[in-house]
Amino acid sequence: MQILSVSSLKGGVGKTSVTMGLASAALHRGVKTLVIDLDPHADATTGLNVSRGVGREAGQLLKESRKAKVSDHVVRSGWVDLMDAEQQKDAVLDVVVGSALSATFDRPDIRPRDMKRLKSLLDGVSEYDLVLVDCPPSLSGLTRIAWAASHQVLLVAEPSLFSVAGTERTMRAIRLFANEFAPQLTQAGVVVNRARADSPEHEYRLLEMERLYSDKLLLPVLEENPHWQQIQGAAYPVHQWPGDQVRDMAKSFDEILKQLLPAKSRTS
Ligand SMILES: Nc1ncnc2c1ncn2[C@@H]1O[C@H](COP(=O)(O)OP(=O)(O)O)[C@@H](O)[C@H]1O
Ligand SMILES: [Mg+2]
């Protein structure tokens, strides 16, 4: 089971969008997936078409991390119901729902033993191939809780000056965190989101990112897509939305997912 945190220290760059795009790719590839919505804004919960108030949500589970059993509280994503009956049989996309309650753990001075709460919640869990953790945009308690439980951190960045600088800082933070608290933690790479082909500034920043991150840059770059907000608003998986432009976006997520999965699951 691969546990992957989707992070950036900056808000609005597309963490939740990338989490959802990857969840959609995983669902359509038959990869059994759990999404943990650690962001108190709970956007992933909304986008994955899950009703809140069903099962314990992330903040409550973190509070009860010693005795709670994750599998008793996961909720199935409504995306599964959109598939045809044959596909639904093997499809697994579950969600640990988010809510404002998890914000109680988002302190900068979180204690090391609180940092291990998600790790202990996931300790006995083995029914998924992939766990995606949608993180809030800071390096406070919740992101540390996510990183302590993860094998890899996937960074999301926009091709803009501040985002490039923020990504550098986050990479440094991951290295320091791994040294001190999480020896298993590695960097999965950087996904560039919301690139515009007609923007010279974006082109310049993309070249800069290629130079800075080289092998850590995960391709293809995700383009700014005019349909994206509508897809999210409808709480739909990108793989089920019609139209060529959206199909290309779905394919980009397929490509990125392939690079993130362990080698043995990449072949199909
Ligand atoms: N590739 C994209 N094309 C168009 N809009 C996007 C794209 N990626 C994200 N967005 C929009 O940008 C906003 C912020 O994205 P979100 O995924 O919520 O960021 P984060 O989770 O990092 O705060 C959302 O309204 C989302 O719909
Ligand atoms: Mg988000």
Side-chain angles (χ1 to χ4, degrees), residues 4-22 132-137 147 153-160 162-171 174 187-195 209 213 216-218 220-222 228 249 253 256 260:
L4 190 87
S5 284
V6 183
S7 301
S8 75
L9 299 191
K10 208 169 165 326
V13 295
K15 288 175 294 300
T16 301
S17 300
V18 167
T19 304
M20 289 176 36
L22 291 174
L132 297 168
V133 189
D134 189 22
C135 295
W147 288 2
V153 183
L154 177 66
L155 293 181
V156 183
E158 282 178 339
S160 69
F162 293 141
S163 193
V164 173
T167 304
E168 292 270 281
R169 277 203 307 279
T170 318
M171 284 180 153
I174 295 169
Q187 304 196 24
V190 182
V191 172
V192 182
N193 185 35
R194 303 195 80 157
M209 286 169 145
Y213 312 137
K216 285 278 173 225
L217 204 60
L218 290 173
V221 164
L222 299 169
W228 191 250
M249 186 99 167
F253 281 114
I256 294 171
L260 296 172

Side-chain angles (χ1 to χ4, degrees), residues 8-9 106-108 110 136-144 147 169-170 173-174 177:
S8 75
L9 299 191
D106 213 16
R107 300 184 305 264
I110 186 160
S138 73
L139 186 48
S140 270
L142 285 170
T143 297
R144 288 163 167 262
W147 288 2
R169 277 203 307 279
T170 318
I174 295 169
F177 187 85

